[in-house]
Amino acid sequence: MRNGSSVTIYQVARAAGVSPSTVSNLLNGRPGRMLPATRQRVEEAIEQLGYRPNRTARQLRTGRTQAIGLVVPSVANPFWGTFARHLEGAALAEDYHVLLCNSEREPERERRYLEQLWDDGIRGVVLCSSLPSLDHVKPLLEAGLTVVAFDRTAQPGDPEALVNISVDNVVGAHLVTQHLLDLGHRRLAYVSGSLRAVNRQERYRGYLSAITDAGLDLADANAELSTSDTSYGDRDAAELGRARTVELLGSANPPTALVAMNDMCALGVCAGVRDTGRQVAEDVSVVGFDDILLAELCAPALTTVRQPLERMAAEAFQHLRAGIEGGAPLPGRSLLIRPELVVRASTAPPR
Amino acid sequence: MRNGSSVTIYQVARAAGVSPSTVSNLLNGRPGRMLPATRQRVEEAIEQLGYRPNRTARQLRTGRTQAIGLVVPSVANPFWGTFARHLEGAALAEDYHVLLCNSEREPERERRYLEQLWDDGIRGVVLCSSLPSLDHVKPLLEAGLTVVAFDRTAQPGDPEALVNISVDNVVGAHLVTQHLLDLGHRRLAYVSGSLRAVNRQERYRGYLSAITDAGLDLADANAELSTSDTSYGDRDAAELGRARTVELLGSANPPTALVAMNDMCALGVCAGVRDTGRQVAEDVSVVGFDDILLAELCAPALTTVRQPLERMAAEAFQHLRAGIEGGAPLPGRSLLIRPELVVRASTAPPR
DNA sequence: GCCGGACAGTAAATCGATGCACGAGTCTTT
DNA sequence: AAAGACTCGTGCATCGATTTACTGTCCGGC
């Protein structure tokens, strides 16, 4: 009795006076193969003995698991934490489990995780990878893994079977930059970690396009990019924002508005602004991206771009399920969500 | 070939010219049962074929899984997100997976999760439950589940086999309240959600004891408790703090210092302070608990009590592993970590 | 020369569920 | 009346790994 209670299908069968096959048939949506009376006897036996199927055995036999993998940079980042929560909620509703994997933005770790998940029988994964290339998942995709790439738009050269779900980063960054321009700002800067990540690059593109679309010259607008090439993790996004901001504001002709690659970074930027003795909004406008929970709690509340995480998580899960239960992965497709500008108190007209 | 590559132990055996048993013996740390030459042949075959053990089959046979469960109120809360990340890190180092479960503070959901985990073959769980009673895990404990109750000190009447890991909430709250008293504050208030959760109660006790230990009368110190009995989730902790604070500061003789049950709540309290046109620190001191990442980023940076999450997560995992691999659960025990006061900018002497 | 034991390795049962292939009985059809 | 078709099932191989019980073989000791 290593396994605790462990009522098996055989015991149910004996109790109901049928064969294990019949119990299995009932359990697997083939109740038509028996008389209603038999069916009831089996159901009673199941009830009585408190039978619960052994998922491991089932998985070994069928090759299917009721679990999906979630690979995120780090769930310590509230953005990913919130996403994880929503994904898990969607999964729970269909009796699926979620295996949590923090890649810490290390490619090698990410690869290792995916393989491990595959070995564990997982056939569907939400991959939140910032890597510019997803070639390393190709073998798994070919073997039959369903992968939803989240927060990463489809790239030329991506594996075919990939499903992409992402907010439109270009539009989002455009929106928020436009907002700053509308307020009258002309000297802007963009604060970002390494631009090797696809979504970061898109956001930067949106930022630039808003400036040029407004008929401004990039040089005139004094649009700067303050980045760092070392591979910053999430926990350091804020520190990065803080350090860069102090630098930027110390320069000769400092920007009056700062666009951060995401909210965590923006919080750091705000801290940096204060470090130099200035006030956010009054002296320097700051905007973020994501609309994490804290964006509206910090002082001043952050103007940012909202990602509808719950909807996106539900969508991601449904894709996975379709891929897993359909047996074959879905044909690759791309879902681009239109983000929403959320104006709060961290932006104001320049002095 | 449903299963992709799927090299089995049999194929390895054939390639090496031995029986499957021998391969298994090698794989399970019994290399002494064969000649070094044989051993090498098997190892070469494994290498050559790229064999990787099927964890599902292994689990079915042995009853053991290389996975643990993590039940938290909500990983959207940065505190739990950070804990999850550290736990996952500790697990990864030993090749364990982490199954993520958000209870959303719903007892029924928590119970359902635990059963599901058990059915899935999980034999070790970190349970972050705020429920005053853990009676519902008793059957699982008896069946052989190893449970580490995290952020919850041992309670009289708890199941025997429980391992508790928690920060000393009483001491922590005492420390931070003491700090306020040292600064000269005499009119304090405590802001908390429902006190039914064990740790919240302890923190409140620590708060009260600091006041009486200082030789003050509770009435003199004007120590108030502002709580709400509706079951607030994490995402609302901040809103609760905000709403209560506005109320408290609107009263006749408002407190000069506010102690929040945790950092999320404290962030809300800070927002509430500003809502009433006051300044945090200058007009009203605010303290939190946990020292989440954002505590030092928000403005002003939050004075709080640090929980050494990484160390605690590592400890929790080691207990689970011992419980799982030892076959039998460990005898119940309790680990109480001494927290550390972190003084930042949200506290100052009263006006 | 025979027994006991260490050594090197294997056969086969087992974990629990699944589902194909088959079968016995009953009803239709021509 | 024989052949087909349908109903209500069941037998058994199978998923991949583990592990117990066992078989030869060789060696040393008395």
Side-chain angles (χ1 to χ4, degrees):
Chain A
M1 195 123 322
R2 169 178 51 236
N3 221 357
S5 62
S6 123
V7 180
T8 78
I9 208 179
Y10 287 85
Q11 313 187 25
V12 173
R14 187 159 346 123
V18 295
S19 79
S21 313
T22 299
V23 181
S24 173
N25 280 332
L26 177 59
L27 257 39
N28 290 308
R30 286 179 286 269
R33 298 220 182 160
M34 65 207 75
L35 290 176
T38 312
R39 171 178 174 174
Q40 199 185 336
R41 268 188 1 258
V42 175
E43 278 168 347
E44 278 169 17
I46 288 176
E47 178 68 24
Q48 192 114 52
L49 299 176
Y51 167 79
R52 268 152 42 199
N54 180 320
R55 286 168 164 237
T56 307
R58 195 173 254 182
Q59 176 182 347
L60 175 59
R61 189 62 241 258
T62 64
R64 263 172 270 133
T65 343
Q66 293 271 94
I68 60 174
L70 169 63
V71 182
V72 292
S74 164
V75 84
N77 177 327
F79 176 71
W80 294 119
T82 304
F83 178 65
R85 169 170 166 261
H86 288 308
L87 185 71
E88 197 263 351
L92 179 65
E94 305 285 347
D95 231 39
Y96 270 72
H97 278 313
V98 174
L99 281 153
L100 176 65
C101 310
N102 297 121
S103 71
E104 308 287 349
R105 294 195 186 286
E106 295 168 21
E108 179 48 31
R109 187 157 162 170
E110 183 175 309
R111 231 206 60 253
R112 186 173 151 211
Y113 258 133
L114 288 171
E115 281 195 355
Q116 224 173 90
L117 288 171
W118 176 261
D119 286 350
D120 251 359
I122 305 300
R123 293 299 171 260
V125 172
V126 177
L127 179 61
C128 306
S129 173
S130 47
L131 299 177
S133 150
L134 291 189
D135 284 348
H136 57 303
V137 306
K138 219 166 186 170
L140 272 331
L141 279 171
E142 275 159 14
L145 185 67
T146 301
V147 176
V148 170
F150 186 83
D151 195 34
R152 181 180 187 286
T153 54
Q155 300 298 308
D158 271 0
E160 280 185 30
L162 211 58
V163 174
N164 293 276
I165 297 185
S166 172
V167 87
D168 191 326
N169 288 299
V170 179
V171 167
H174 192 111
L175 274 173
V176 80
T177 309
Q178 183 67 53
H179 166 68
L180 291 171
L181 294 172
D182 288 348
L183 285 172
H185 291 276
R186 286 300 175 270
R187 290 199 308 284
L188 313 179
Y190 190 83
V191 182
S192 178
S194 157
L195 281 187
R196 287 192 320 148
V198 173
N199 54 354
R200 290 183 185 171
Q201 222 170 74
E202 291 174 343
R203 290 178 190 181
Y204 184 53
R205 281 219 318 273
Y207 164 79
L208 292 180
S209 74
I211 293 174
T212 53
D213 286 2
L216 298 171
D217 190 15
L218 288 182
D220 284 355
N222 205 353
E224 291 182 58
L225 166 66
S226 182
T227 181
S228 158
D229 252 344
T230 58
S231 167
Y232 273 95
D234 286 306
R235 77 149 294 164
D236 309 303
E239 280 165 31
L240 171 139
R242 189 170 195 163
R244 288 291 164 277
T245 299
V246 172
E247 272 175 37
L248 278 168
L249 296 183
S251 65
N253 191 14
T256 62
L258 298 171
V259 181
M261 64 170 175
N262 62 32
D263 285 352
M264 286 301 284
C265 182
L267 291 176
V269 168
C270 289
V273 168
R274 284 184 294 265
D275 286 348
T276 68
R278 281 167 246 237
Q279 300 260 333
V280 173
E282 274 119 69
D283 302 317
V284 184
S285 287
V286 176
V287 299
F289 203 113
D290 290 345
D291 193 25
I292 60 177
L293 190 54
L294 292 129
E296 78 168 302
L297 288 174
C298 63
L302 207 59
T303 293
T304 188
V305 174
R306 176 173 302 156
Q307 301 212 38
L309 277 187
E310 183 160 11
R311 216 176 79 216
M312 293 168 87
E315 194 86 44
F317 176 71
Q318 289 312 331
H319 275 281
L320 283 192
R321 203 163 82 101
I324 295 170
E325 296 182 3
L330 299 172
R333 48 173 294 191
S334 206
L335 193 64
L336 209 57
I337 311 265
R338 196 184 161 77
E340 186 189 342
L341 176 66
V342 180
V343 178
R344 295 208 182 88
S346 68
T347 48
R351 282 245 143 124
Chain B
M1 196 121 319
R2 171 180 48 238
N3 221 357
S5 61
S6 120
V7 179
T8 77
I9 207 178
Y10 286 85
Q11 314 188 24
V12 173
R14 185 156 351 121
V18 295
S19 80
S21 315
T22 299
V23 180
S24 175
N25 278 332
L26 178 57
L27 257 39
N28 289 60
R30 285 180 285 271
R33 298 223 182 158
M34 66 207 74
L35 292 176
T38 313
R39 170 177 175 174
Q40 199 184 335
R41 265 182 10 252
V42 175
E43 277 168 348
E44 276 169 17
I46 287 177
E47 177 69 25
Q48 192 115 50
L49 299 176
Y51 167 79
R52 270 156 35 205
N54 180 319
R55 287 167 163 238
T56 307
R58 196 172 254 183
Q59 177 183 347
L60 176 59
R61 186 65 239 256
T62 64
R64 265 172 268 132
T65 342
Q66 293 271 94
I68 61 174
L70 169 63
V71 181
V72 292
S74 164
V75 83
N77 177 325
F79 176 71
W80 295 119
T82 303
F83 178 64
R85 169 171 167 262
H86 288 308
L87 185 70
E88 198 263 351
L92 180 66
E94 305 286 348
D95 231 39
Y96 270 72
H97 278 313
V98 175
L99 280 153
L100 175 65
C101 309
N102 297 122
S103 71
E104 307 287 348
R105 294 196 187 285
E106 294 168 22
E108 178 48 31
R109 187 159 164 169
E110 184 175 309
R111 231 207 59 253
R112 186 173 151 212
Y113 259 133
L114 289 171
E115 282 195 354
Q116 224 172 91
L117 288 170
W118 176 262
D119 287 349
D120 251 0
I122 305 300
R123 293 298 171 260
V125 172
V126 177
L127 178 61
C128 306
S129 174
S130 48
L131 298 177
S133 150
L134 291 188
D135 284 348
H136 57 302
V137 306
K138 219 164 185 172
L140 272 331
L141 280 170
E142 275 159 14
L145 185 68
T146 301
V147 176
V148 170
F150 186 83
D151 196 33
R152 182 182 188 285
T153 52
Q155 300 298 307
D158 271 0
E160 279 186 32
L162 210 58
V163 175
N164 293 276
I165 298 185
S166 171
V167 86
D168 191 327
N169 289 300
V170 178
V171 168
H174 191 111
L175 275 174
V176 80
T177 308
Q178 182 68 52
H179 166 67
L180 290 172
L181 294 172
D182 289 348
L183 285 172
H185 291 275
R186 285 302 174 269
R187 290 200 307 284
L188 313 179
Y190 190 83
V191 182
S192 177
S194 157
L195 282 187
R196 287 192 321 149
V198 172
N199 54 353
R200 290 185 185 168
Q201 221 170 75
E202 291 174 344
R203 289 177 192 182
Y204 183 52
R205 280 219 319 274
Y207 164 79
L208 292 180
S209 74
I211 294 174
T212 52
D213 285 3
L216 298 172
D217 190 14
L218 289 181
D220 285 353
N222 204 354
E224 290 182 59
L225 166 66
S226 183
T227 180
S228 158
D229 252 345
T230 59
S231 167
Y232 274 95
D234 286 307
R235 77 150 292 163
D236 309 304
E239 281 164 31
L240 171 139
R242 189 171 194 163
R244 287 291 163 277
T245 300
V246 172
E247 270 175 41
L248 279 167
L249 296 183
S251 65
N253 191 15
T256 61
L258 298 171
V259 181
M261 64 170 175
N262 63 32
D263 285 352
M264 286 300 284
C265 183
L267 291 176
V269 168
C270 288
V273 168
R274 285 183 295 264
D275 287 348
T276 68
R278 281 166 245 237
Q279 301 258 335
V280 173
E282 273 118 70
D283 301 317
V284 184
S285 287
V286 177
V287 300
F289 203 113
D290 289 347
D291 193 25
I292 61 178
L293 190 53
L294 291 128
E296 78 168 301
L297 288 173
C298 63
L302 206 59
T303 293
T304 188
V305 175
R306 175 172 302 156
Q307 302 211 37
L309 277 187
E310 183 161 10
R311 216 177 81 216
M312 292 167 87
E315 195 85 43
F317 176 71
Q318 289 312 331
H319 275 280
L320 283 193
R321 202 161 84 101
I324 295 170
E325 296 181 3
L330 300 171
R333 49 173 292 192
S334 206
L335 194 63
L336 209 56
I337 311 266
R338 198 185 159 77
E340 186 189 343
L341 176 67
V342 180
V343 178
R344 297 210 182 87
S346 68
T347 45
R351 280 247 143 122

